[in-house]
Amino acid sequence: MKHPIIAATATALGVTAATATLAETTLAYGSWAPSSDPASKAFDTFSEAVADTAAVRFDTFYDGSVVGMRTVLGGIEDGLVDVGYVAGAIYQAEMPIDSMLTQFSVVEANPLSISAAVTDFILNDCDDCRAEAQGHGVLPLAYAGTPHFYLMCKDPIASFDDLKGESIRAASANLRFVNFIGATPVNTPTTEVMEAIQRGQVECAVGSIFWLQAYSLWDSVGYVLDLPMGQYNNGLVFGVNEEIWNDDLDDDARAAILGNLPTLVTQAAANGIVAADAIRAESIERGVVWGEPTDEMRATMAEWFASERASVQKWGEDHGVTNAATILDGFVAKVAHWNARVGELNGDADAVRAELAETVYAGR
């Protein structure tokens, strides 16, 4: 097991190190996400705040340089990194509860409310969620959601009927949407979507607005249906090796981290909102048309949304989540609570951060 690096530094000339030592704990943070990702930028803000309040600093390894999306869970457990960003959707066998919450992407929320809700629900209400991660040696302490996903196509569509029989790139819950409208789902890697659209291998892709920039989809996509299709709910942006958390960090270090995790949660959401708005504006400048959905499209989307709760529960039960209904009921209630609170707080990220600090992290 790799443990944090403990560095001893003499602070004054002529004084022995034993009497003038500042112990600094350095933790390795590994993420598959690029350094430009909203969650990565939020982690930088968080880590600076922690360093200002305790002798703890983070060495950050973004862009999959140490752990990738499919290796980060084991990387934390084995001590390759001390802390990491885990996308539970990748670990359907290892983390079926987490994956089930990801599957329920159509639960109506915004980045601030979904980030707060998932963090609150898992840390305060869902013992099984925490136990699932802890079974892999990972203590889950902070989550972040993303801005909405959209249907992005090469050419404009007037109706979902235009896409019957067409190939559409999708993953997770959105595979069910593609089938729902009579199209053919294709699980093309995100890095290959632009080329697949250009070559006519897929007509559309369902994905994050960030893909327009990150994968240059705005060079091949001419049309985005301006109708949100859910979001990624529950990125575990701070999953820490539990042995290190319990045995190698002192009370001051843990308090500094916990005291600043509300900043990580809300800043990741706020960064995502700003980035999404900027990408949308630039895509329009580049000639991408954001098309107004017809009433028929809205009705079809609403029908699919309504069907998803049962589909997600069945998915969970099929993957061994025996109390799937209870977990989803609690999750939906928590999202509704935070949707209301974020609305009452006028979407103020600082106010949401303060409420998370009081209701989720205080006394932990």
Side-chain angles (χ1 to χ4, degrees):
M1 173 75 67
K2 181 183 80 61
H3 292 277
I5 301 165
I6 306 297
T9 305
T11 58
L13 292 174
V15 182
T16 65
T19 59
T21 295
L22 176 64
E24 182 179 78
T25 301
T26 301
L27 300 175
Y29 181 80
S31 174
W32 48 268
S35 58
S36 60
D37 186 85
S40 301
K41 290 183 176 180
F43 193 89
D44 291 340
T45 301
F46 156 80
S47 63
E48 289 171 8
V50 171
D52 286 342
T53 55
V56 179
R57 71 180 181 87
F58 291 89
D59 284 343
T60 52
F61 301 93
Y62 299 127
D63 300 285
S65 59
V66 174
V67 287
M69 188 177 284
R70 297 184 183 277
T71 61
V72 63
L73 183 65
I76 300 170
E77 182 176 16
D78 296 339
L80 183 61
V81 292
D82 305 310
V83 190
Y85 179 180
V86 180
I90 300 299
Y91 299 99
Q92 294 185 2
E94 298 89 344
M95 302 180 71
I97 299 174
D98 195 272
S99 294
M100 180 178 71
L101 296 181
T102 301
Q103 289 276 334
F104 200 21
S105 62
V106 302
V107 64
E108 293 189 38
N110 59 64
L112 273 172
S113 64
I114 195 65
S115 300
V118 173
T119 300
D120 186 359
F121 176 65
I122 292 179
L123 269 61
N124 281 337
D125 299 341
C126 188
D127 294 344
D128 288 347
C129 299
R130 296 190 303 278
E132 180 178 78
Q134 289 172 273
H136 298 281
V138 177
L139 182 65
L141 289 178
Y143 289 81
T146 70
H148 292 127
F149 284 16
Y150 292 93
L151 179 68
M152 300 174 280
C153 299
K154 182 177 182 179
D155 300 308
I157 60 172
S159 165
F160 288 134
D161 288 342
D162 294 346
L163 299 176
K164 287 188 182 297
E166 297 286 352
S167 294
I168 298 178
R169 191 279 176 192
S172 193
N174 291 313
L175 292 168
R176 293 190 291 271
F177 169 76
V178 175
N179 284 319
F180 189 79
I181 64 171
T184 302
V186 178
N187 195 12
T188 306
T190 51
T191 54
E192 300 173 14
V193 172
M194 181 185 74
E195 185 177 352
I197 292 175
Q198 288 177 334
R199 293 185 173 183
Q201 295 168 334
V202 298
E203 182 62 28
C204 305
V206 179
S208 166
I209 188 174
F210 297 147
W211 293 4
L212 288 169
Q213 180 185 61
Y215 303 112
S216 299
L217 288 195
W218 49 30
D219 292 334
S220 56
V221 163
Y223 176 88
V224 178
L225 180 64
D226 198 0
L227 186 61
M229 295 184 60
Q231 62 280 319
Y232 186 76
N233 293 331
N234 53 319
L236 174 54
V237 290
F238 197 95
V240 59
N241 180 292
E242 189 168 21
E243 182 179 335
I244 287 174
W245 180 262
N246 291 330
D247 299 340
D248 295 316
L249 297 180
D250 61 25
D251 290 344
D252 288 343
R254 286 192 292 266
I257 291 170
L258 290 170
N260 286 288
L261 282 175
T263 295
L264 174 58
V265 174
T266 55
Q267 195 63 50
N271 288 350
I273 292 168
V274 170
D277 288 346
I279 289 169
R280 179 181 176 124
E282 184 170 351
S283 72
I284 292 171
E285 291 177 1
R286 289 171 172 265
V288 176
V289 174
W290 285 72
E292 181 71 16
T294 64
D295 289 343
E296 181 183 12
M297 287 175 168
R298 293 184 185 277
T300 298
M301 193 69 74
E303 184 180 355
W304 176 59
F305 274 33
S307 72
E308 274 293 279
R309 166 55 198 265
S311 297
V312 172
Q313 181 175 323
K314 183 178 185 305
W315 186 97
E317 291 167 349
D318 289 347
H319 286 76
V321 183
T322 56
N323 57 342
T326 300
I327 290 173
L328 289 173
D329 284 345
F331 177 56
V332 169
K334 191 65 75 173
V335 173
H337 165 77
W338 279 101
N339 279 340
R341 286 302 294 140
V342 170
E344 291 161 0
L345 296 170
N346 298 314
D348 186 323
D350 287 337
V352 175
R353 179 199 56 75
E355 185 149 332
L356 273 175
E358 180 181 350
T359 63
V360 177
Y361 289 102
R364 187 166 295 278

